[in-house]
Amino acid sequence: RARTHPLTRPPVPSRHRFAQPVPISSYLIALCAGHLASREVSPRCRIWSEPSVVDAAAHEFGEAEDFLGVAERLTGCPYVWGRYDVLCLPPSFPYGGMENPCLTFATPTLLAGDRSLADVIAHEIAHSWTGNLVTNATWEHFWLNEGWTVWLERKILAQGKGGV
């Protein structure tokens, strides 16, 4: 009996469902697809990337749960999105990070090996409160999202490093 190559087999139909119970702005919707691997770093945080860098990404962004806990204590509000995952994208991704509810896109240029650039993840986590949960009505005041996020990011990092 002849065998077919995996790439020439007809696709198997499948259906995936996703529910987002917390309302979000349309610019925050994110979808991703590709040859991905993941590592769980806590019960609510998982790091995703191409298989060749998944271990490095999991190490680099492994403080995500700590950042979430500090942000919850600082704001007095729980993280409402359920999961917080990070997707380390291929090198063509031009930004440090992009927050989306439940998932942050991160550039592989953050993989320094010593977590010295993990502050970007703290910044994107801060957006979970300042930008994703509460946001401006129009683009005219979009700078408020970044202003409040930088303020909260710095508070998260100060607390996480034993300060303030």
Side-chain angles (χ1 to χ4, degrees):
R1 179 169 130 167
R3 295 183 71 195
T4 59
H5 188 276
L7 296 178
T8 61
R9 291 184 192 143
V12 177
S14 64
R15 182 177 296 183
H16 300 276
R17 295 184 189 274
F18 175 78
Q20 177 59 55
V22 181
I24 62 170
S25 296
S26 59
Y27 79 91
L28 294 173
I29 294 172
L31 298 173
C32 56
H35 182 59
L36 301 172
S38 69
R39 299 290 183 270
E40 191 166 305
V41 296
S42 77
R44 63 179 172 174
C45 297
R46 182 176 289 274
I47 310 301
W48 297 85
S49 73
E50 294 176 320
S52 63
V53 297
V54 71
D55 291 324
H59 168 74
E60 204 72 34
F61 307 137
E63 296 175 295
E65 179 64 41
D66 296 337
F67 293 156
L68 281 172
V70 171
E72 287 174 321
R73 287 191 299 281
L74 287 169
T75 63
C77 297
Y79 178 77
V80 300
W81 308 102
R83 292 209 51 88
Y84 180 78
D85 291 351
V86 176
L87 172 60
C88 186
L89 292 166
S92 60
F93 182 65
Y95 308 104
M98 173 58 199
E99 84 285 354
N100 304 289
C102 311
L103 176 70
T104 284
F105 291 161
T107 179
T109 60
L110 298 175
L111 303 180
D114 60 2
R115 294 184 171 172
S116 61
L117 301 175
D119 59 335
V120 171
I121 300 304
H123 178 90
E124 303 310 333
I125 283 173
H127 271 299
S128 298
W129 286 266
T130 59
N132 296 357
L133 195 56
V134 176
T135 194
N136 47 286
T138 68
W139 290 104
E140 178 184 3
H141 298 111
F142 190 73
W143 62 272
L144 288 168
N145 282 359
E146 288 304 319
W148 283 110
T149 298
V150 168
W151 175 83
L152 183 54
E153 167 202 346
R154 291 180 179 165
K155 292 288 193 182
I156 291 168
L157 294 170
Q159 286 266 321
K161 300 196 186 305
V164 183

